[in-house]
Amino acid sequence: KKVKAAEARIGELVEANNDLVREDKRLNSIVATNRKSIQDIFVTIDKMKKEKKEEVEKLKVDLMHQKITTKELVDYYETQLMEMENKNGAIVPEERRNEIGEMVETI
């Protein structure tokens, strides 16, 4: 009788152990999946940081080009004004000078 009870108990313990092994495998799988997801998130974050940095650099370059273009326009209008004043010693009318000044300020 005791042997039968012991064998039954051993069978229960073996089954319980198998359940624990299956649960351990299931949990390890979840952990591995979560690790992969977390890695993917960090890769995505790094990629986004790099893209934003590149975007900022591009905007800086664009801004520099705009500043250069603006300076060229200002220089052009100022040169036009000086040429008008120097041409035949003529003085540019105040009205025209103000117009050109407004254009330069707008730029």
Side-chain angles (χ1 to χ4, degrees), residues 14-58:
V14 167
E15 190 56 40
N17 185 58
N18 289 341
D19 289 346
L20 288 173
V21 168
R22 279 191 294 276
E23 183 64 8
D24 184 54
K25 285 180 182 176
R26 188 182 75 81
L27 292 174
N28 282 335
S29 173
I30 291 171
V31 167
T33 301
N34 287 345
R35 245 188 223 121
K36 177 70 174 125
S37 295
I38 289 169
Q39 281 178 329
D40 290 348
I41 288 168
F42 280 115
V43 166
T44 301
I45 288 171
D46 287 345
K47 184 179 171 192
M48 289 171 69
K49 281 181 183 176
K50 184 180 177 195
E51 288 171 357
K52 287 296 171 194
K53 188 176 180 182
E54 289 170 357
E55 195 176 316
V56 166
E57 288 305 313
K58 184 183 179 306

